[in-house]
Amino acid sequence: MLKLLKRYVKYIGTSAVGTIVDTVVLWLLSDLVFTEGYWGEYIISPTISFQCAVAVNFTIAYFYIWRDRTLTRSDRGKRRFFKLFLTYDLSCSAIFILRLGVMLLIEKFTGWDVVVCNLLAMCFSGILNFTIENVVIFKKKKTS
């Protein structure tokens, strides 16, 4: 249990990096690129910024948070890395759809800026992401 708690603390700490990437890219896209229209600001910009954060977060997760489950296996390598990345991205994308819905609901009821709504919605998806990563994506290899 202590190991899981330590891993979760690492996850929270390194998630800040992904949050910064997501927020900065979202701010740049929504304020400088997609300046006109709801779809550009509230759908396209968050989707692109999310994918940037996914790439950063997966790399940190693979080499730091779940290092003991990824780098010590005999089947490690580029193929495994990209296979896990695809699984990770699909999982995060499913949760992103949920997060996007929460973000849009927050915006609808508050009228707040997309960056604020996105940060609030991220709070809801963090625990779910960690659980899926720990149990499914970076699961412990069964010992014989």
Side-chain angles (χ1 to χ4, degrees):
M1 186 65 168
L2 182 60
K3 190 171 185 174
L4 181 64
L5 182 60
K6 286 181 181 179
R7 197 179 305 270
Y8 186 67
V9 170
K10 284 182 181 179
Y11 176 83
I12 291 172
T14 59
S15 289
V17 176
T19 301
I20 290 167
V21 168
D22 193 330
T23 304
V24 169
V25 172
L26 177 61
W27 172 71
L28 290 171
L29 290 173
S30 64
D31 280 10
L32 302 176
V33 179
F34 299 105
T35 57
E36 301 292 325
Y38 185 85
W39 274 92
E41 185 174 7
Y42 283 92
I43 306 295
I44 298 170
S45 294
T47 301
I48 294 170
S49 67
F50 164 76
Q51 284 299 321
C52 292
V54 164
V56 169
N57 280 344
F58 175 77
T59 304
I60 293 170
Y62 187 89
F63 290 106
Y64 177 63
I65 300 172
W66 281 278
R67 176 187 185 111
D68 60 317
R69 297 182 186 179
T70 59
L71 298 180
T72 58
R73 293 184 175 177
S74 60
D75 58 346
R76 65 181 181 224
K78 292 178 189 175
R79 185 180 178 121
R80 174 163 169 69
F81 178 86
F82 288 109
K83 181 181 175 187
L84 279 177
F85 177 75
L86 180 61
T87 305
Y88 180 89
D89 192 28
L90 290 172
S91 167
C92 289
S93 295
I95 293 170
F96 172 73
I97 292 169
L98 175 68
R99 186 178 98 195
L100 188 61
V102 171
M103 183 190 77
L104 294 173
L105 282 173
I106 293 170
E107 188 278 330
K108 180 178 180 172
F109 289 111
T110 65
W112 293 341
D113 185 74
V114 65
V115 174
V116 174
C117 296
N118 189 55
L119 287 171
L120 290 172
M122 278 184 197
C123 295
F124 294 106
S125 62
I127 292 173
L128 184 57
N129 268 330
F130 175 80
T131 302
I132 291 171
E133 289 173 33
N134 189 55
V135 176
V136 178
I137 298 168
F138 298 108
K139 66 184 170 196
K140 288 182 185 177
K141 188 174 185 178
K142 293 182 182 180
T143 54
S144 306

